[in-house]
Amino acid sequence: MSGDDADLAAALEAALGAGPVSGLRRLSGGASRETFSFAAGERPLILQRQRPGALRSGMAREVAVLRAAHAEGVPVPVVVAEGDGRDALGRPWMVVSHVEGETIARKILRDEPYAAALPLLAGQCGVALARIHRIPVGAVPGLDESDQVAQFRATLDGVGE
């Protein structure tokens, strides 16, 4: 483990208070965040930390959205901990439960191990979207309560579309 990784692992241990951090590994992708997988004790977790220079408000709102979605039964990772960056982690962060699965659409659509899931996927997405739409706007501080469909309609009407 490099010095930076050891420092990050120590900061996570202090922030979580949940046993030794092991297996810290930076994940590819995640252009807007630094994303790491690790274990705290035996529990597999994911750390997302804002990149330097990013707006600080985005992470807190995302944590609130995840918590509200979880409360409505939307299949999302559970928020385990969060911080505003005024700690050893240095930037806003959140730790969520690790969720097994595949995120690459090409694999889901083409690879044999996912063939049985395909007929169920659209229905499961519909159920998840219905649960998302049950979340009261007021449950997440900072969300815009205006009707965005009406805004888009007014914009299109304004340009003759």
Side-chain angles (χ1 to χ4, degrees):
M1 189 179 308
S2 74
D4 288 342
D5 288 348
D7 291 344
L8 182 56
L12 282 167
E13 285 180 17
L16 298 175
V21 166
S22 62
L24 184 66
R25 179 174 64 94
R26 185 152 189 181
L27 301 177
S28 62
S32 63
R33 304 263 166 77
E34 295 175 336
T35 304
F36 298 83
S37 66
F38 68 100
E42 298 296 316
R43 186 176 185 187
L45 298 168
I46 300 293
L47 164 68
Q48 285 202 325
R49 182 170 65 167
Q50 286 188 334
R51 293 188 183 280
L55 297 175
R56 288 191 173 266
S57 63
M59 184 72 71
R61 187 172 302 128
E62 186 173 340
V63 166
V65 167
L66 283 171
R67 286 187 169 138
H70 183 263
E72 285 294 337
V74 179
V76 296
V78 175
V79 177
V80 174
E82 65 174 298
D84 61 10
R86 290 179 240 176
D87 53 23
L89 285 154
R91 296 187 296 279
W93 57 273
M94 70 175 156
V95 170
V96 297
S97 59
H98 179 271
V99 177
E100 284 295 327
E102 181 57 66
T103 60
I104 300 172
R106 174 185 44 77
K107 287 183 157 213
I108 294 168
L109 294 172
R110 295 182 189 163
D111 289 3
E112 181 59 33
Y114 308 105
L118 286 178
L120 308 172
L121 195 54
Q124 291 172 341
C125 288
V127 168
L129 286 169
R131 290 176 179 168
I132 289 168
H133 284 278
R134 285 194 320 227
I135 300 169
V137 174
V140 180
L143 285 186
D144 183 359
E145 293 191 44
S146 61
D147 183 345
Q148 291 188 347
V149 173
Q151 289 176 354
F152 289 129
R153 178 63 191 235
T155 298
L156 291 173
D157 289 346
V159 294
E161 293 288 326

